[in-house]
Amino acid sequence: MRDAAAAPTRSRVLPRNDPRQYDDLVDEWWRPDGVFAMLHWLAEARAALVPPADRPDALLVDLGCGAGLLAPHVAGKGYRHVGVDLTRSALAQAAAHGVTPVNGDATAAPLANGCADVVAAGEVLEHVPQWRSAVAEACRLLRPGGLLVLDTLNDNFLSRLVAVHIGERLPTVPRGIHDPRLFVDARALVAECARHGVTLQLRGVRPEVRGLLGWLLRRARGAAGAASDGRAPRIVPTRSTAVLYQGWGVRKG
C-alpha cells in the first residue's frame, strides 16, 4: 500500500498551470490526504455560502468543477448540480458523485443565458489566462437574483510567496499547479463583477492553523490514510484578502 506521505508519481514534466497535470493527478482528487486535500476544505467553505434552493428545479453551475468536490457539501440543498470542466478524467469522477458533467471552458460554457440560480467558481479564476472572460461568463449564466460564489488567489508578492514558493512545497498543493502571472487582483475582480451586474463582497480566508498543523503531523507519520483519521482543517475567515479570498454577490435584476 502506498505511503500516504509519498508524492504521486509524475510521468512527465509540464509547464506551470498546464491542464494535463489534472490527468496525471487523476487518482488524487478524492484522497483526503492527497495533493488536492485543500480543495476539499475550500469546497466545504464555499458551499457554506450557498443557501438552500428557493424554487423547484434550481440549478447550480460549478465552473471548473474538477472531480466534483463541491458535490457532497451542496447535496440536499435542492439544486441540480451541473459541472463544467476541460478535463474529461475529472468530469468522469464528478459524474460518479452526482454532478451532471459538461465538457467545456470556463470562458465559454455551452449553457443558456440566465440558466443558473447559483454559479460557483472555486479555485478556477487563477488558472484561466483570461480571468475577466471567466467572470463575464459566470455572470452571463446567472439569472437576475442569482448568486455568484468564488474563491481565488490575490495578485501580489505575498500571495505568490505563500501559494507558490511555500505552498507548493507542502503536501497540500501540487508543484507547478499555479502560474502566479494569472493571480487575480481583488480590487480588479470587484470592479469586473460590477461591470456585469454583480456587487461582490470579499473576505480573506485561510486554513485554521491548529487544524492544518495537526493534519500535516498525522500525514507525516506515514501510515496510509493517517491524515483522514482526525478532523480535516477548516477554512476560516481572516480580515486580510492579501492571499486567498472568497467572494459572493447577487446579480441585479
Side-chain angles (χ1 to χ4, degrees):
M1 183 176 293
R2 182 173 65 175
D3 188 308
T9 300
R10 299 289 296 275
S11 59
R12 51 185 169 173
V13 176
L14 296 170
R16 281 194 167 274
N17 197 51
D18 192 306
R20 292 173 293 176
Q21 293 179 78
Y22 297 101
D23 290 317
D24 291 349
L25 295 166
V26 65
D27 294 332
E28 293 290 308
W29 280 110
W30 286 95
R31 289 183 60 224
D33 53 356
V35 298
F36 291 136
M38 190 169 176
L39 296 186
H40 287 259
W41 315 336
L42 285 165
E44 182 176 12
R46 190 180 319 123
L49 299 175
V50 178
D54 59 4
R55 67 186 185 96
D57 303 317
L59 180 67
L60 185 156
V61 174
D62 192 353
L63 290 179
C65 69
L69 304 187
L70 187 65
H73 307 294
V74 295
K77 291 195 174 187
Y79 297 96
R80 180 189 173 204
H81 188 173
V82 171
V84 179
D85 205 279
L86 285 173
T87 305
R88 292 181 184 274
S89 60
L91 282 174
Q93 295 189 46
H97 287 82
V99 179
T100 301
V102 174
N103 187 229
D105 194 304
T107 65
L111 298 169
N113 292 349
C115 66
D117 297 81
V118 176
V119 172
E123 296 303 295
V124 64
L125 296 181
E126 72 272 22
H127 295 286
V128 179
Q130 300 85 27
W131 68 260
R132 287 179 172 81
S133 296
V135 167
E137 188 69 348
C139 296
R140 177 188 73 81
L141 294 171
L142 278 175
R143 66 174 180 85
L147 175 69
L148 174 64
V149 296
L150 57 84
D151 38 79
T152 190
L153 288 161
N154 212 335
D155 182 21
N156 55 50
F157 172 78
L158 181 61
S159 182
R160 292 188 287 273
L161 174 67
V162 172
V164 178
H165 300 291
I166 296 174
E168 291 189 10
R169 287 173 170 79
L170 296 175
T172 52
V173 182
R175 292 198 177 189
I177 206 72
H178 294 118
D179 182 344
R181 295 173 298 179
L182 303 181
F183 287 4
V184 181
D185 180 82
R187 289 170 296 183
L189 178 58
V190 169
E192 192 65 25
C193 287
R195 287 186 60 236
H196 297 283
V198 174
T199 302
L200 201 68
Q201 300 181 64
L202 300 183
R203 68 180 179 187
V205 291
R206 60 168 175 79
E208 57 172 344
V209 174
R210 184 174 179 179
L212 178 60
L213 292 176
W215 185 89
L216 289 169
L217 179 60
R218 291 192 300 273
R219 194 179 191 278
R221 287 173 177 165
S228 61
D229 289 345
R231 181 175 59 83
R234 292 187 303 113
I235 297 295
V236 296
T238 180
R239 286 193 290 181
S240 174
T241 60
V243 180
L244 180 63
Y245 62 96
Q246 285 181 322
W248 65 95
V250 172
R251 183 183 174 190
K252 296 176 183 177

